[in-house]
């Protein structure tokens, strides 16, 4: 009796301290030892109140507990207080109607007993719900949701342990935080927020610091499935572990500006069907079948083992400072698609990629970073791959650090710059069977790489231009000048060549701008002398290849 009195006192103090009673009214507090009485207890609290469920509670739940009064709290004395649905029955355990604003369920053990119906269902129009520190199990294979929001505004789901159940939101569900839960699911995604109805959108969703165990689908899946494009989505600090074969980790479908930051993904020995992190197209109009990709967003600071990052038909996404360990013949990052929706203006920078075993082989048409246009209407253009460290599994495994594959669309204005390529057959290779493609590549380094820049495919034009914004100005006779630096390669023919510059320098004599060269074939001397505004005369040894660098203004 003493422990129950103490628990009642704590609940009352919490109700006052956390502001559950903003009007100052004193809510009713009822101690309950019989599960079958909870529904009537709640119904009697027309102005709000707290039902304390004792650890020694008896009975099973034979019908839905409907919450239609505001500011109702159901608090269990401990998770040994089990609220169990009668075995294999078909009804929702808790149903919070639009009148049940301010509902709280805390510290309870809900056993759905393999029946159908949702353990906790919140209707459209509910608000300020808190689901805290509960244990939820027994949902069975026929029902996916453990907690379902059908249009809730403002909710907190924190500290719960859920087995084979989903935290699910749809309709106009907004401002939901799913924090620090432990969720295991062997048939459905662990956390799902779907815009399913035209004119309705899930938005302002935070999923953070959860431990998720998945098999079959994703750990987190947020997207449009016939409704509006979700916005203001943050997925951060989660741990996603695969416990069986599944599609992957974190999936966004047609999300605008979504962020996936500081998460981990570990495939273990399982097969990843899609991706560790996926930005993908999704259905935004059920009647017309219209799809659109993700737009904007950030993928940063994630640690991925055994999966990749996929930007499928998605644009304006920044992928940065991620660490990816991959093998099994897979790519680490994919940009492109085959639906004709395009993947443009993505920035892939400062990532570290390890091929722990053989990654995707260039000879087979893929790369460790793979860019692909696979539809006549597909644009994969103006993407930047810069300052990444890409470590292959050895020159004998036919890997390419970056592979561009234009099957039938257009790939123009892409950049591969200032990356470090190590231990692979090919640094970068752009191949082409579609429209004319362009690539600018400069500042890359190659260590234990058989071929740094592979000869391009048909209709691929590669330049090596350093943007003016990256050039450091120099002092000439004490005056700061707007200088330009030009670099390129040139093969000699019988010890000589004339190199034509892509851009001209100011020229009045050979002293107007200066050039240096380095023999890349052998330890041999060479000379580079400007001959005009657009040409440089090179001399050296035989058919050696020289690296040329000129500066001027």
């Amino acid at each position: 009796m003493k422990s129950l009195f103490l628990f009642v006192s704590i609940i009352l103090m919490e109700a006052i301290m956390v502001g559950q009673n903003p009007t100052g009214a004193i809510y009713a507090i009822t101690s309950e030892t019989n599960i079958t009485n909870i529904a009537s207890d709640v119904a009697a609290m027309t102005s709000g109140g707290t039902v304390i469920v004792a650890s020694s509670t008896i009975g099973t739940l034979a019908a839905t507990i409907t919450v239609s009064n505001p500011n109702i709290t159901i608090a269990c004395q401990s998770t040994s207080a089990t609220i169990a649905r009668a075995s294999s029955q078909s009804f929702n355990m808790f149903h919070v109607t639009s009148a049940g604003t301010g509902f709280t369920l805390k510290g309870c053990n809900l056993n759905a007993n393999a029946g159908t119906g949702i353990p906790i269902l919140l209707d459209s129009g509910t608000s300020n719900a808190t689901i805290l520190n509960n244990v939820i199990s027994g949902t069975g294979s026929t029902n996916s949701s453990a907690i379902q929001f059908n249009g809730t505004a403002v909710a907190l789901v924190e500290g719960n342990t859920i087995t084979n159940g989903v935290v699910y939101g749809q309709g106009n569900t907004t401002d939901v935080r799913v924090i620090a839960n432990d969720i295991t699911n062997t048939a459905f995604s662990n956390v799902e927020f779907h815009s399913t109805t035209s004119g309705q959108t899930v938005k302002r969703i935070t999923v953070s610091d959860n431990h998720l165990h998945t098999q079959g689908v994703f750990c987190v899946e947020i997207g449009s499935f016939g409704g509006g494009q979700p916005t203001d989505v943050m997925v951060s600090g989660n741990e996603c572990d695969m416990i069986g074969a599944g599609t992957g980790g974190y999936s966004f479908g047609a999300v605008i500006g979504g962020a996936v930051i500081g998460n981990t993904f570990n495939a273990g020995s399982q097969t990843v069907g899609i991706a560790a992190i996926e930005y993908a197209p999704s259905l935004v109009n059920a009647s017309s079948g219209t799809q659109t990709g993700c737009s904007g967003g950030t993928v940063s600071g994630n640690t991925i083992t055994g999966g990749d990052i996929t930007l499928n038909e998605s644009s304006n996404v920044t992928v940065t400072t991620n660490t990816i360990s991959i093998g099994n013949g897979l790519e680490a990052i994919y940009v492109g698609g085959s639906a004709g929706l395009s993947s443009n203006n993505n920035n892939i920078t400062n990532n570290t990629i390890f091929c722990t075993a053989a990654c995707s082989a260039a000879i087979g048409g893929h790369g460790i970073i793979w860019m692909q246009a696979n539809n006549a209407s597909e644009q994969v253009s103006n993407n930047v791959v810069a300052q990444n460290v890409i470590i292959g599994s050895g020159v004998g495994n036919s890997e390419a650090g970056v592979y561009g594959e234009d099957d039938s669309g257009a790939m123009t204005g892409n950049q591969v710059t200032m990356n470090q390529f190590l231990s692979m057959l090919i640094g970068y290779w752009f191949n082409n069977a579609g429209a004319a493609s362009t690539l600018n590549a400069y500042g890359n380094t190659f260590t234990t790489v058989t071929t740094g820049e592979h000869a391009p495919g048909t209709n691929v034009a590669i330049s090596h231009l350093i943007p003016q914004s990256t050039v450091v100005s120099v002092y000439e006779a004490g005056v700061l000048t707007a200088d330009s630096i030009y670099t390129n390669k040139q093969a000699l023919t019988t010890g000589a060549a004339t190199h034509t510059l892509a851009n001209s320098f100011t020229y009045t004599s050979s002293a107007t701008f200066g050039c240096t060269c380095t023999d890349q074939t052998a330890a041999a001397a060479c000379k580079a002398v400007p001959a005009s505004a657009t040409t440089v005369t090179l001399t050296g040894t035989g058919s050696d290849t020289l690296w040329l660098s000129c500066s001027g203004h």
Side-chain angles (χ1 to χ4, degrees), residues 196-356:
T196 55
T197 304
S198 179
Q200 298 184 349
T201 304
V202 298
K203 56 188 175 182
R204 295 190 295 276
I205 305 299
T206 297
V207 181
S208 65
D209 301 315
N210 301 283
H211 191 181
L212 308 171
H213 318 263
T214 189
Q215 175 181 335
V217 198
F218 291 100
C219 281
V220 179
E221 182 182 64
I222 300 174
S224 174
F225 291 80
Q229 292 182 255
T231 60
D232 301 303
V233 175
M234 169 64 76
V235 176
S236 66
N238 301 284
E239 179 180 347
C240 174
D241 297 324
M242 291 187 68
I243 57 174
T247 49
Y250 310 94
S251 174
F252 284 178
V255 172
I256 298 174
V260 181
I261 298 175
N263 303 279
T264 65
F265 172 82
N266 190 349
S269 60
Q270 306 301 325
T271 299
V272 179
I274 296 180
I277 299 174
E278 175 195 40
Y279 281 52
S282 196
L283 186 67
V284 295
N285 189 313
S287 59
S288 67
T290 301
Q291 289 193 334
T292 191
C294 294
S295 177
T298 302
V299 181
S300 69
N302 301 285
T303 300
I304 298 170
T305 304
D308 71 323
I309 297 171
T310 292
L311 305 183
N312 183 6
E313 314 285 6
S314 297
S315 298
N316 301 297
V317 180
T318 296
V319 178
T320 187
T321 63
N322 301 284
T323 300
I324 306 171
S325 300
I326 192 74
N328 302 320
L330 301 174
E331 68 275 358
I333 298 175
Y334 174 83
V335 180
S338 57
L341 299 176
S342 300
S343 299
N344 299 323
N345 304 304
N346 298 294
N347 289 290
I348 301 169
T349 63
N350 296 292
N351 301 284
T352 302
I353 300 171
F354 300 92
C355 290
T356 55

Side-chain angles (χ1 to χ4, degrees), residues 152-207:
T152 299
V154 187
L156 172 65
V157 178
E158 182 175 5
N160 302 281
T161 300
I162 301 172
T163 303
N164 283 340
V166 180
V167 177
Y168 179 76
Q170 62 181 358
N172 282 323
T173 294
T174 65
D175 301 284
V176 176
R177 294 177 295 150
V178 181
I179 300 173
N181 303 281
D182 191 295
I183 307 175
T184 301
N185 209 311
T186 58
F188 303 93
S189 296
N190 302 67
V191 178
E192 298 179 357
F193 285 87
H194 294 171
S195 299
T196 55
T197 304
S198 179
Q200 298 184 349
T201 304
V202 298
K203 56 188 175 182
R204 295 190 295 276
I205 305 299
T206 297
V207 181

